[in-house]
Amino acid sequence: MKILNESLRSLALPSLLIGLAASGLAPYFPNSFKLIGITSLLLLSAILIFYIWLRILNKFIPRRFANSIFCIDSSNNLALILHPHYKRYQPPGSRLGYHEAPHNAVKRVMHEELGLKPGEYTLVSNEKKLNKYGNNQIVPKPYLVKTETGRHRFGIVEHYDYVYVCFIDGIKSSINSNLAPKWFSLDDIHKLTVNDVEKAPWGDVIPIFEKIVSEIDLLKQMDNIKFV
């Protein structure tokens, strides 16, 4: 998508310049530049229509990248929200926005779905420094990356999910009551899968949470990042 956008922009300016030049010279060379002007106008129209079509596709076709946030409190409880579409308890998460970096999406999701602002939680990362080196910048790595394969009317989509772990002190309530956030221990989630199967999280949530709990001491010893 990014390469296509850059290609369209690179074609648009020459087409516009050619069209302007042709319109200015057309009175002097009507036969030659009339054809050039019409061609340039058609090319600009095609570029504009194609660009709008790309943006529509980007909006309505499921994006292939998303994030999930396993937010843990001081008692090793996991924050889950009642997904508004599937009606299941799931970790906060979202498809990535247009050109949105996964670690930046963590800040957005934490605020939108749990009501937590930067500075109220830490993000687990084994990167000691997130410095910039010229145009390059080291960013927080996800805890793990998982893939999901689903079928869409445009074909089979392989979905990449960046899983991040965040720690908070105590328990915070959500600013969005419609999402009905709750805090679950590992035992609570196991009970939920037995007592209320319809609202139980998808099958991958428990093994990931078990892995996090088994490594909790190590994760807390890392140089966790506090967003500002």
Side-chain angles (χ1 to χ4, degrees):
M1 179 68 74
K2 184 176 181 180
I3 295 175
L4 284 173
N5 285 335
E6 292 175 350
S7 301
L8 291 177
R9 284 196 294 267
S10 65
L11 289 173
L13 183 58
S15 300
L16 180 60
L17 293 176
I18 292 172
L20 291 174
S23 62
L25 296 174
Y28 306 100
F29 306 95
N31 294 329
S32 300
F33 286 94
K34 185 177 180 180
L35 179 61
I36 296 175
I38 293 174
T39 303
S40 175
L41 182 61
L42 291 175
L43 182 58
L44 278 173
S45 300
I47 290 172
L48 179 61
I49 292 172
F50 189 48
Y51 181 76
I52 294 173
W53 175 243
L54 286 177
R55 298 305 294 264
I56 291 175
L57 288 179
N58 181 72
K59 182 174 179 62
F60 293 104
I61 292 182
R63 298 183 181 93
R64 298 181 64 185
F65 300 96
N67 69 0
S68 296
I69 305 168
F70 282 68
C71 184
I72 314 293
D73 70 6
S74 56
S75 299
N76 295 345
N77 295 315
L78 175 66
L80 299 179
I81 62 171
L82 192 61
H83 194 285
H85 177 69
Y86 298 109
K87 305 302 180 184
R88 288 175 173 266
Y89 280 105
Q90 290 292 110
S94 169
R95 289 196 177 102
L96 301 186
Y98 189 65
H99 287 177
E100 183 180 33
H103 68 285
N104 288 332
V106 170
K107 293 191 289 186
R108 174 178 59 81
V109 172
M110 291 290 281
H111 177 65
E112 292 176 353
E113 301 190 4
L114 292 181
L116 295 174
K117 299 178 181 179
E120 296 181 325
Y121 57 89
T122 56
L123 175 67
V124 170
S125 175
N126 59 0
E127 301 290 353
K128 295 184 178 181
K129 293 183 179 180
L130 304 180
N131 294 331
K132 291 189 68 174
Y133 300 94
N135 294 327
N136 300 320
Q137 182 178 8
I138 298 176
V139 298
K141 293 193 298 187
Y143 176 68
L144 56 86
V145 179
K146 61 188 180 76
T147 60
E148 303 167 355
T149 303
R151 186 174 295 277
H152 190 262
R153 62 177 177 272
F154 290 95
I156 295 176
V157 176
E158 191 172 37
H159 187 86
Y160 295 88
D161 197 359
Y162 299 92
V163 178
Y164 288 90
V165 177
C166 292
F167 292 125
I168 67 167
D169 295 327
I171 295 178
K172 303 285 186 179
S173 60
S174 173
I175 56 175
N176 190 342
S177 59
N178 293 331
L179 295 178
K182 292 185 178 180
W183 295 84
F184 294 84
S185 67
L186 190 54
D187 289 339
D188 292 334
I189 297 179
H190 280 294
K191 292 177 182 177
L192 180 64
T193 59
V194 175
N195 299 328
D196 196 349
V197 177
E198 292 183 355
K199 289 186 178 180
W202 300 116
D204 60 341
V205 172
I206 289 180
I208 293 176
F209 190 25
E210 288 177 336
K211 175 176 170 60
I212 293 171
V213 171
S214 68
E215 300 174 350
I216 198 76
D217 293 332
L218 177 62
L219 294 174
K220 289 183 177 180
Q221 292 173 7
M222 289 184 179
D223 294 319
N224 298 322
I225 300 163
K226 179 168 285 191
F227 285 120
V228 294

mmCIF file with all atom_site columns, all heavy atoms in Angstrom, residues 150-164:
data_model
loop_
_atom_site.group_PDB
_atom_site.id
_atom_site.type_symbol
_atom_site.label_atom_id
_atom_site.label_alt_id
_atom_site.label_comp_id
_atom_site.label_asym_id
_atom_site.label_entity_id
_atom_site.label_seq_id
_atom_site.pdbx_PDB_ins_code
_atom_site.Cartn_x
_atom_site.Cartn_y
_atom_site.Cartn_z
_atom_site.occupancy
_atom_site.B_iso_or_equiv
_atom_site.pdbx_formal_charge
_atom_site.auth_seq_id
_atom_site.auth_comp_id
_atom_site.auth_asym_id
_atom_site.auth_atom_id
_atom_site.pdbx_PDB_model_num
ATOM 1   N N   . GLY A 1 150 ? -7.972  -16.679 8.313  1.00 0.00 ? 150 GLY A N   1
ATOM 2   C CA  . GLY A 1 150 ? -9.422  -16.626 8.178  1.00 0.00 ? 150 GLY A CA  1
ATOM 3   C C   . GLY A 1 150 ? -9.819  -16.420 6.734  1.00 0.00 ? 150 GLY A C   1
ATOM 4   O O   . GLY A 1 150 ? -9.017  -16.031 5.888  1.00 0.00 ? 150 GLY A O   1
ATOM 5   N N   . ARG A 1 151 ? -11.072 -16.690 6.448  1.00 0.00 ? 151 ARG A N   1
ATOM 6   C CA  . ARG A 1 151 ? -11.583 -16.551 5.081  1.00 0.00 ? 151 ARG A CA  1
ATOM 7   C C   . ARG A 1 151 ? -12.417 -15.281 4.979  1.00 0.00 ? 151 ARG A C   1
ATOM 8   O O   . ARG A 1 151 ? -13.265 -14.995 5.827  1.00 0.00 ? 151 ARG A O   1
ATOM 9   C CB  . ARG A 1 151 ? -12.428 -17.779 4.700  1.00 0.00 ? 151 ARG A CB  1
ATOM 10  C CG  . ARG A 1 151 ? -12.872 -17.779 3.231  1.00 0.00 ? 151 ARG A CG  1
ATOM 11  C CD  . ARG A 1 151 ? -13.564 -19.083 2.901  1.00 0.00 ? 151 ARG A CD  1
ATOM 12  N NE  . ARG A 1 151 ? -12.663 -20.212 2.993  1.00 0.00 ? 151 ARG A NE  1
ATOM 13  C CZ  . ARG A 1 151 ? -11.840 -20.573 2.014  1.00 0.00 ? 151 ARG A CZ  1
ATOM 14  N NH1 . ARG A 1 151 ? -11.811 -19.895 0.891  1.00 0.00 ? 151 ARG A NH1 1
ATOM 15  N NH2 . ARG A 1 151 ? -11.052 -21.615 2.161  1.00 0.00 ? 151 ARG A NH2 1
ATOM 16  N N   . HIS A 1 152 ? -12.154 -14.514 3.924  1.00 0.00 ? 152 HIS A N   1
ATOM 17  C CA  . HIS A 1 152 ? -12.854 -13.277 3.667  1.00 0.00 ? 152 HIS A CA  1
ATOM 18  C C   . HIS A 1 152 ? -13.389 -13.335 2.245  1.00 0.00 ? 152 HIS A C   1
ATOM 19  O O   . HIS A 1 152 ? -12.913 -14.130 1.422  1.00 0.00 ? 152 HIS A O   1
ATOM 20  C CB  . HIS A 1 152 ? -11.895 -12.085 3.844  1.00 0.00 ? 152 HIS A CB  1
ATOM 21  C CG  . HIS A 1 152 ? -12.572 -10.758 3.831  1.00 0.00 ? 152 HIS A CG  1
ATOM 22  N ND1 . HIS A 1 152 ? -12.630 -9.980  2.708  1.00 0.00 ? 152 HIS A ND1 1
ATOM 23  C CD2 . HIS A 1 152 ? -13.221 -10.075 4.798  1.00 0.00 ? 152 HIS A CD2 1
ATOM 24  C CE1 . HIS A 1 152 ? -13.276 -8.867  2.977  1.00 0.00 ? 152 HIS A CE1 1
ATOM 25  N NE2 . HIS A 1 152 ? -13.648 -8.900  4.232  1.00 0.00 ? 152 HIS A NE2 1
ATOM 26  N N   . ARG A 1 153 ? -14.372 -12.495 1.942  1.00 0.00 ? 153 ARG A N   1
ATOM 27  C CA  . ARG A 1 153 ? -14.958 -12.562 0.603  1.00 0.00 ? 153 ARG A CA  1
ATOM 28  C C   . ARG A 1 153 ? -13.949 -12.216 -0.490 1.00 0.00 ? 153 ARG A C   1
ATOM 29  O O   . ARG A 1 153 ? -14.147 -12.531 -1.656 1.00 0.00 ? 153 ARG A O   1
ATOM 30  C CB  . ARG A 1 153 ? -16.174 -11.646 0.504  1.00 0.00 ? 153 ARG A CB  1
ATOM 31  C CG  . ARG A 1 153 ? -15.901 -10.177 0.710  1.00 0.00 ? 153 ARG A CG  1
ATOM 32  C CD  . ARG A 1 153 ? -17.177 -9.362  0.518  1.00 0.00 ? 153 ARG A CD  1
ATOM 33  N NE  . ARG A 1 153 ? -17.005 -7.961  0.776  1.00 0.00 ? 153 ARG A NE  1
ATOM 34  C CZ  . ARG A 1 153 ? -17.129 -7.385  1.952  1.00 0.00 ? 153 ARG A CZ  1
ATOM 35  N NH1 . ARG A 1 153 ? -17.415 -8.132  3.009  1.00 0.00 ? 153 ARG A NH1 1
ATOM 36  N NH2 . ARG A 1 153 ? -16.966 -6.090  2.112  1.00 0.00 ? 153 ARG A NH2 1
ATOM 37  N N   . PHE A 1 154 ? -12.856 -11.551 -0.121 1.00 0.00 ? 154 PHE A N   1
ATOM 38  C CA  . PHE A 1 154 ? -11.801 -11.259 -1.085 1.00 0.00 ? 154 PHE A CA  1
ATOM 39  C C   . PHE A 1 154 ? -10.729 -12.347 -1.097 1.00 0.00 ? 154 PHE A C   1
ATOM 40  O O   . PHE A 1 154 ? -9.732  -12.225 -1.791 1.00 0.00 ? 154 PHE A O   1
ATOM 41  C CB  . PHE A 1 154 ? -11.151 -9.906  -0.778 1.00 0.00 ? 154 PHE A CB  1
ATOM 42  C CG  . PHE A 1 154 ? -12.052 -8.743  -1.070 1.00 0.00 ? 154 PHE A CG  1
ATOM 43  C CD1 . PHE A 1 154 ? -12.827 -8.187  -0.072 1.00 0.00 ? 154 PHE A CD1 1
ATOM 44  C CD2 . PHE A 1 154 ? -12.131 -8.224  -2.346 1.00 0.00 ? 154 PHE A CD2 1
ATOM 45  C CE1 . PHE A 1 154 ? -13.654 -7.110  -0.340 1.00 0.00 ? 154 PHE A CE1 1
ATOM 46  C CE2 . PHE A 1 154 ? -12.954 -7.152  -2.622 1.00 0.00 ? 154 PHE A CE2 1
ATOM 47  C CZ  . PHE A 1 154 ? -13.726 -6.593  -1.623 1.00 0.00 ? 154 PHE A CZ  1
ATOM 48  N N   . GLY A 1 155 ? -10.920 -13.417 -0.300 1.00 0.00 ? 155 GLY A N   1
ATOM 49  C CA  . GLY A 1 155 ? -9.942  -14.497 -0.267 1.00 0.00 ? 155 GLY A CA  1
ATOM 50  C C   . GLY A 1 155 ? -9.517  -14.823 1.154  1.00 0.00 ? 155 GLY A C   1
ATOM 51  O O   . GLY A 1 155 ? -10.048 -14.291 2.123  1.00 0.00 ? 155 GLY A O   1
ATOM 52  N N   . ILE A 1 156 ? -8.548  -15.721 1.291  1.00 0.00 ? 156 ILE A N   1
ATOM 53  C CA  . ILE A 1 156 ? -8.031  -16.116 2.594  1.00 0.00 ? 156 ILE A CA  1
ATOM 54  C C   . ILE A 1 156 ? -7.048  -15.060 3.073  1.00 0.00 ? 156 ILE A C   1
ATOM 55  O O   . ILE A 1 156 ? -6.147  -14.649 2.339  1.00 0.00 ? 156 ILE A O   1
ATOM 56  C CB  . ILE A 1 156 ? -7.357  -17.498 2.516  1.00 0.00 ? 156 ILE A CB  1
ATOM 57  C CG1 . ILE A 1 156 ? -8.417  -18.563 2.162  1.00 0.00 ? 156 ILE A CG1 1
ATOM 58  C CG2 . ILE A 1 156 ? -6.678  -17.845 3.827  1.00 0.00 ? 156 ILE A CG2 1
ATOM 59  C CD1 . ILE A 1 156 ? -7.850  -19.940 1.975  1.00 0.00 ? 156 ILE A CD1 1
ATOM 60  N N   . VAL A 1 157 ? -7.236  -14.620 4.306  1.00 0.00 ? 157 VAL A N   1
ATOM 61  C CA  . VAL A 1 157 ? -6.395  -13.574 4.877  1.00 0.00 ? 157 VAL A CA  1
ATOM 62  C C   . VAL A 1 157 ? -5.588  -14.158 6.029  1.00 0.00 ? 157 VAL A C   1
ATOM 63  O O   . VAL A 1 157 ? -6.158  -14.754 6.945  1.00 0.00 ? 157 VAL A O   1
ATOM 64  C CB  . VAL A 1 157 ? -7.245  -12.385 5.379  1.00 0.00 ? 157 VAL A CB  1
ATOM 65  C CG1 . VAL A 1 157 ? -6.352  -11.352 6.051  1.00 0.00 ? 157 VAL A CG1 1
ATOM 66  C CG2 . VAL A 1 157 ? -8.002  -11.748 4.227  1.00 0.00 ? 157 VAL A CG2 1
ATOM 67  N N   . GLU A 1 158 ? -4.274  -14.005 5.989  1.00 0.00 ? 158 GLU A N   1
ATOM 68  C CA  . GLU A 1 158 ? -3.423  -14.394 7.104  1.00 0.00 ? 158 GLU A CA  1
ATOM 69  C C   . GLU A 1 158 ? -3.179  -13.163 7.961  1.00 0.00 ? 158 GLU A C   1
ATOM 70  O O   . GLU A 1 158 ? -2.674  -12.154 7.483  1.00 0.00 ? 158 GLU A O   1
ATOM 71  C CB  . GLU A 1 158 ? -2.099  -14.982 6.625  1.00 0.00 ? 158 GLU A CB  1
ATOM 72  C CG  . GLU A 1 158 ? -1.311  -15.639 7.756  1.00 0.00 ? 158 GLU A CG  1
ATOM 73  C CD  . GLU A 1 158 ? -0.089  -16.382 7.240  1.00 0.00 ? 158 GLU A CD  1
ATOM 74  O OE1 . GLU A 1 158 ? 0.523   -15.877 6.285  1.00 0.00 ? 158 GLU A OE1 1
ATOM 75  O OE2 . GLU A 1 158 ? 0.241   -17.444 7.788  1.00 0.00 ? 158 GLU A OE2 1
ATOM 76  N N   . HIS A 1 159 ? -3.563  -13.267 9.203  1.00 0.00 ? 159 HIS A N   1
ATOM 77  C CA  . HIS A 1 159 ? -3.631  -12.128 10.113 1.00 0.00 ? 159 HIS A CA  1
ATOM 78  C C   . HIS A 1 159 ? -2.486  -12.234 11.119 1.00 0.00 ? 159 HIS A C   1
ATOM 79  O O   . HIS A 1 159 ? -2.318  -13.261 11.755 1.00 0.00 ? 159 HIS A O   1
ATOM 80  C CB  . HIS A 1 159 ? -4.991  -12.200 10.821 1.00 0.00 ? 159 HIS A CB  1
ATOM 81  C CG  . HIS A 1 159 ? -5.328  -11.041 11.670 1.00 0.00 ? 159 HIS A CG  1
ATOM 82  N ND1 . HIS A 1 159 ? -5.916  -9.909  11.179 1.00 0.00 ? 159 HIS A ND1 1
ATOM 83  C CD2 . HIS A 1 159 ? -5.169  -10.837 12.994 1.00 0.00 ? 159 HIS A CD2 1
ATOM 84  C CE1 . HIS A 1 159 ? -6.117  -9.065  12.177 1.00 0.00 ? 159 HIS A CE1 1
ATOM 85  N NE2 . HIS A 1 159 ? -5.663  -9.600  13.276 1.00 0.00 ? 159 HIS A NE2 1
ATOM 86  N N   . TYR A 1 160 ? -1.681  -11.175 11.237 1.00 0.00 ? 160 TYR A N   1
ATOM 87  C CA  . TYR A 1 160 ? -0.561  -11.164 12.177 1.00 0.00 ? 160 TYR A CA  1
ATOM 88  C C   . TYR A 1 160 ? -0.938  -10.336 13.401 1.00 0.00 ? 160 TYR A C   1
ATOM 89  O O   . TYR A 1 160 ? -1.350  -9.184  13.269 1.00 0.00 ? 160 TYR A O   1
ATOM 90  C CB  . TYR A 1 160 ? 0.698   -10.588 11.527 1.00 0.00 ? 160 TYR A CB  1
ATOM 91  C CG  . TYR A 1 160 ? 1.220   -11.439 10.397 1.00 0.00 ? 160 TYR A CG  1
ATOM 92  C CD1 . TYR A 1 160 ? 0.757   -11.261 9.096  1.00 0.00 ? 160 TYR A CD1 1
ATOM 93  C CD2 . TYR A 1 160 ? 2.165   -12.428 10.631 1.00 0.00 ? 160 TYR A CD2 1
ATOM 94  C CE1 . TYR A 1 160 ? 1.222   -12.047 8.055  1.00 0.00 ? 160 TYR A CE1 1
ATOM 95  C CE2 . TYR A 1 160 ? 2.643   -13.215 9.596  1.00 0.00 ? 160 TYR A CE2 1
ATOM 96  C CZ  . TYR A 1 160 ? 2.165   -13.018 8.320  1.00 0.00 ? 160 TYR A CZ  1
ATOM 97  O OH  . TYR A 1 160 ? 2.631   -13.804 7.282  1.00 0.00 ? 160 TYR A OH  1
ATOM 98  N N   . ASP A 1 161 ? -0.789  -10.929 14.576 1.00 0.00 ? 161 ASP A N   1
ATOM 99  C CA  . ASP A 1 161 ? -1.194  -10.282 15.823 1.00 0.00 ? 161 ASP A CA  1
ATOM 100 C C   . ASP A 1 161 ? 0.032   -10.093 16.710 1.00 0.00 ? 161 ASP A C   1
ATOM 101 O O   . ASP A 1 161 ? 0.659   -11.065 17.133 1.00 0.00 ? 161 ASP A O   1
ATOM 102 C CB  . ASP A 1 161 ? -2.237  -11.150 16.538 1.00 0.00 ? 161 ASP A CB  1
ATOM 103 C CG  . ASP A 1 161 ? -2.991  -10.389 17.603 1.00 0.00 ? 161 ASP A CG  1
ATOM 104 O OD1 . ASP A 1 161 ? -2.690  -9.198  17.801 1.00 0.00 ? 161 ASP A OD1 1
ATOM 105 O OD2 . ASP A 1 161 ? -3.884  -10.976 18.237 1.00 0.00 ? 161 ASP A OD2 1
ATOM 106 N N   . TYR A 1 162 ? 0.379   -8.828  16.989 1.00 0.00 ? 162 TYR A N   1
ATOM 107 C CA  . TYR A 1 162 ? 1.498   -8.503  17.871 1.00 0.00 ? 162 TYR A CA  1
ATOM 108 C C   . TYR A 1 162 ? 0.999   -8.496  19.316 1.00 0.00 ? 162 TYR A C   1
ATOM 109 O O   . TYR A 1 162 ? 0.141   -7.690  19.669 1.00 0.00 ? 162 TYR A O   1
ATOM 110 C CB  . TYR A 1 162 ? 2.091   -7.139  17.523 1.00 0.00 ? 162 TYR A CB  1
ATOM 111 C CG  . TYR A 1 162 ? 2.647   -7.053  16.127 1.00 0.00 ? 162 TYR A CG  1
ATOM 112 C CD1 . TYR A 1 162 ? 1.867   -6.619  15.060 1.00 0.00 ? 162 TYR A CD1 1
ATOM 113 C CD2 . TYR A 1 162 ? 3.968   -7.409  15.864 1.00 0.00 ? 162 TYR A CD2 1
ATOM 114 C CE1 . TYR A 1 162 ? 2.382   -6.533  13.780 1.00 0.00 ? 162 TYR A CE1 1
ATOM 115 C CE2 . TYR A 1 162 ? 4.494   -7.333  14.585 1.00 0.00 ? 162 TYR A CE2 1
ATOM 116 C CZ  . TYR A 1 162 ? 3.691   -6.902  13.547 1.00 0.00 ? 162 TYR A CZ  1
ATOM 117 O OH  . TYR A 1 162 ? 4.207   -6.821  12.278 1.00 0.00 ? 162 TYR A OH  1
ATOM 118 N N   . VAL A 1 163 ? 1.542   -9.385  20.124 1.00 0.00 ? 163 VAL A N   1
ATOM 119 C CA  . VAL A 1 163 ? 1.113   -9.517  21.519 1.00 0.00 ? 163 VAL A CA  1
ATOM 120 C C   . VAL A 1 163 ? 2.099   -8.773  22.422 1.00 0.00 ? 163 VAL A C   1
ATOM 121 O O   . VAL A 1 163 ? 3.299   -9.070  22.419 1.00 0.00 ? 163 VAL A O   1
ATOM 122 C CB  . VAL A 1 163 ? 1.024   -10.999 21.936 1.00 0.00 ? 163 VAL A CB  1
ATOM 123 C CG1 . VAL A 1 163 ? 0.628   -11.121 23.407 1.00 0.00 ? 163 VAL A CG1 1
ATOM 124 C CG2 . VAL A 1 163 ? 0.025   -11.734 21.042 1.00 0.00 ? 163 VAL A CG2 1
ATOM 125 N N   . TYR A 1 164 ? 1.589   -7.811  23.175 1.00 0.00 ? 164 TYR A N   1
ATOM 126 C CA  . TYR A 1 164 ? 2.401   -7.040  24.116 1.00 0.00 ? 164 TYR A CA  1
ATOM 127 C C   . TYR A 1 164 ? 1.939   -7.327  25.543 1.00 0.00 ? 164 TYR A C   1
ATOM 128 O O   . TYR A 1 164 ? 0.766   -7.654  25.773 1.00 0.00 ? 164 TYR A O   1
ATOM 129 C CB  . TYR A 1 164 ? 2.289   -5.543  23.846 1.00 0.00 ? 164 TYR A CB  1
ATOM 130 C CG  . TYR A 1 164 ? 3.002   -5.080  22.599 1.00 0.00 ? 164 TYR A CG  1
ATOM 131 C CD1 . TYR A 1 164 ? 2.342   -5.057  21.374 1.00 0.00 ? 164 TYR A CD1 1
ATOM 132 C CD2 . TYR A 1 164 ? 4.332   -4.680  22.643 1.00 0.00 ? 164 TYR A CD2 1
ATOM 133 C CE1 . TYR A 1 164 ? 2.999   -4.640  20.218 1.00 0.00 ? 164 TYR A CE1 1
ATOM 134 C CE2 . TYR A 1 164 ? 4.993   -4.254  21.492 1.00 0.00 ? 164 TYR A CE2 1
ATOM 135 C CZ  . TYR A 1 164 ? 4.322   -4.238  20.295 1.00 0.00 ? 164 TYR A CZ  1
ATOM 136 O OH  . TYR A 1 164 ? 4.968   -3.824  19.164 1.00 0.00 ? 164 TYR A OH  1
#
